[in-house]
Amino acid sequence: DNNPVKVVQSYRNDFTMPDHLQQAIAYGEQSLSSGIMVPEVLLEMADIQYDVGDPTKAFGLLDQAARIQGYASDATFRKGRILFMMGRYSDAKLCFQQVRPDELNGERVYAEAQMSLKDAAVYERLPRAHVQSKF
């Protein structure tokens, strides 16, 4: 149905392929040139870049998506989610606080950001020895 996001997600979730994440990234990069669903593909690829252990690339993709009208809050929320997973709770909270409900998908993303702010506050109070981080 000409939806590159679904294809990227299919590759991402196909654990029968040993290189499924690399395939997802390759397809995402190829699909960006088509101009179809560019911000959504960027957001999905950012999550995959984090999965493969490259948060720097993930942040770069999120910055690109944030520059597209209507996607700043979604991109900022996802950046906060990555920072949270990295154990950078205060940075994550700053991102979650920037999410606005008046953008595309804004109400859903805003609600998730508000819940994530509460989670980050709890994790900030935990001793670091009790929290695992990928990085």
Side-chain angles (χ1 to χ4, degrees), residues 30-96:
Q30 174 188 342
S31 72
L32 288 174
S33 64
S34 74
I36 299 171
M37 300 181 76
V38 169
E40 293 89 348
V41 171
L42 289 168
L43 295 170
E44 192 67 29
M45 286 178 55
D47 287 344
I48 297 167
Q49 288 294 349
Y50 174 77
D51 288 344
V52 299
D54 197 340
T56 301
K57 279 189 182 174
F59 292 144
L61 293 165
L62 291 171
D63 289 343
Q64 287 180 51
R67 288 191 290 273
I68 299 170
Q69 185 176 0
Y71 288 90
S73 286
D74 203 347
T76 302
F77 172 71
R78 289 176 188 236
K79 185 181 275 190
R81 195 171 57 189
I82 290 172
L83 290 165
F84 181 90
M85 297 302 294
M86 294 173 68
R88 295 175 50 188
Y89 306 119
S90 60
D91 293 333
K93 285 172 46 178
L94 291 174
C95 288
F96 298 147

Side-chain angles (χ1 to χ4, degrees), residues 109-124:
V109 175
Y110 182 78
E112 288 182 43
Q114 296 307 302
M115 290 186 306
S116 296
L117 277 167
K118 293 176 186 174
D119 292 339
V122 169
Y123 275 78
E124 275 184 317

